Amino acid sequence: MSARRLLMVALLLVCGAAAGVALWRSGAGGEDPAARLAAELRCPACQGETVADSHSPVADAMRAEIGRQLASGRTVEQVEDFFVRRYGPEVLADPSPGGAGALLWVLPGVVLAGVLALGFRTVRRRRPAAAGPVVNGVPWLKRYAWGITAAALVALVCGVALAAGRLAGGEAPAAAQPVDPVAAQVAIGETLEAQGRFAAAAQAYQVAWKLRPDAAVLLRLAFAQLRAGQPAEAGRSAAQALTERPGDENALLVLGLAQRAGHDPAARRTLEHFLAVAPGHPAAAEVRRVLAD
């Protein structure tokens, strides 16, 4: 067997093996879309861990959100896009097909092209050489068959790559907008609160407030701490919010409730101040009932 044939056989074997790997990877985890998606997303609060591997509250919240959205009928691609929009493209553990990933998409096409090239050469050997220009006593087509086959192979690979990109992602996605880390942490806190995990939500709000000290985030933190059964911490957060927003009705409410939960005699005075500032607040009626007891 000539060196060219050996090279071609080796190339086909390598491409076939890589194509098999590509098919295996594309089918991995297909039985459980929630688990597969969790393995394809990075935990924003962890260092190098996927959502599937991490035990952080953030990862727990993301897994719950994945399950909720899939159960509501959304596709894996739609759920993935939701997290990309919230946290940015860096949340993906595996980038979209491109670079080395694109190679795995086009290798099946390479294998097909190689097989077609071998078939073309085999058929030509069984037929008389076609009439045409002769170069150094060798028919032109035969002399340049390898070059023509290579060019066709490249064209087919490019076509498969373009088709795969369109089928996988449709139109080119718009440029990703910069992700606000504070907004991302607040969103995590809201998700955790909706699950009734108030201590974990307080941790998320604490991270958001450290990233950007803001009275609104501080109030979210105080509410979460109060609902988590941490009145001392809630009282400190609410008092700090009042220094930034003097007379704020929500800060007064949380502070008064935190003081009452901690059996602080100042609670009544704080809650009466709250009623004076916001008599029509949704919580005003309940506060009046509490003070009347």
Side-chain angles (χ1 to χ4, degrees):
M1 185 179 288
S2 66
R4 283 184 176 180
R5 292 182 185 176
L6 284 173
L7 181 61
M8 191 65 178
V9 170
L11 177 62
L12 287 176
L13 288 175
V14 171
C15 290
V21 171
L23 292 174
W24 176 78
R25 286 188 63 187
S26 66
E31 296 181 358
D32 186 353
R36 175 163 59 90
L37 186 52
E40 293 174 356
L41 296 173
R42 287 192 178 96
C43 174
C46 306
Q47 188 70 28
E49 283 190 302
T50 66
V51 171
D53 297 331
S54 173
H55 299 289
S56 72
V58 174
D60 289 344
M62 291 177 71
R63 284 193 293 268
E65 185 67 19
I66 289 170
R68 186 190 68 77
Q69 293 200 25
L70 290 176
S72 70
R74 304 196 76 190
T75 65
V76 170
E77 291 73 19
Q78 288 173 326
V79 178
E80 185 177 89
D81 182 64
F82 166 82
F83 285 105
V84 169
R85 290 179 181 276
R86 174 172 282 190
Y87 300 113
E90 60 273 12
V91 77
L92 298 176
D94 292 319
S96 299
L103 184 62
L104 293 178
W105 281 72
V106 303
L107 276 174
V110 174
V111 174
L112 175 61
V115 171
L116 291 176
L118 283 179
F120 172 73
R121 287 175 58 80
T122 302
V123 170
R124 285 189 64 255
R125 288 194 185 97
R126 294 178 180 177
R127 294 182 179 179
V134 176
V135 180
N136 295 332
V138 181
W140 179 87
L141 183 59
K142 183 176 181 180
R143 181 178 180 85
Y144 293 102
W146 278 95
I148 295 172
T149 302
L153 185 64
V154 171
L156 181 59
V157 168
C158 292
V160 171
L162 290 174
R166 290 180 180 178
L167 288 174
E171 298 180 358
Q177 297 297 318
V179 180
D180 182 354
V182 175
Q185 287 295 326
V186 169
I188 292 170
E190 291 173 345
T191 300
L192 291 167
E193 280 196 278
Q195 297 172 5
R197 303 181 62 188
F198 304 115
Q203 292 177 4
Y205 293 138
Q206 184 78 45
V207 172
W209 184 75
K210 287 181 178 179
L211 289 171
R212 186 189 304 149
D214 180 84
V217 175
L218 197 57
L219 273 175
R220 286 180 177 272
L221 171 61
F223 269 115
Q225 289 170 330
L226 183 63
R227 300 177 75 183
Q230 303 169 357
E233 292 84 348
R236 286 193 292 268
S237 298
Q240 189 169 353
L242 277 172
T243 62
E244 300 181 25
R245 290 183 178 181
D248 184 275
E249 57 192 46
N250 289 314
L252 285 169
L253 174 62
V254 177
L255 177 59
L257 293 176
Q259 289 171 337
R260 186 172 185 274
H263 307 288
D264 187 334
R268 185 175 189 88
R269 184 172 61 254
T270 303
L271 291 175
E272 288 175 345
H273 187 192
F274 160 75
L275 290 175
V277 170
H281 192 282
E286 180 63 20
V287 170
R288 291 191 186 95
R289 187 192 65 78
V290 168
L291 292 177
D293 290 344

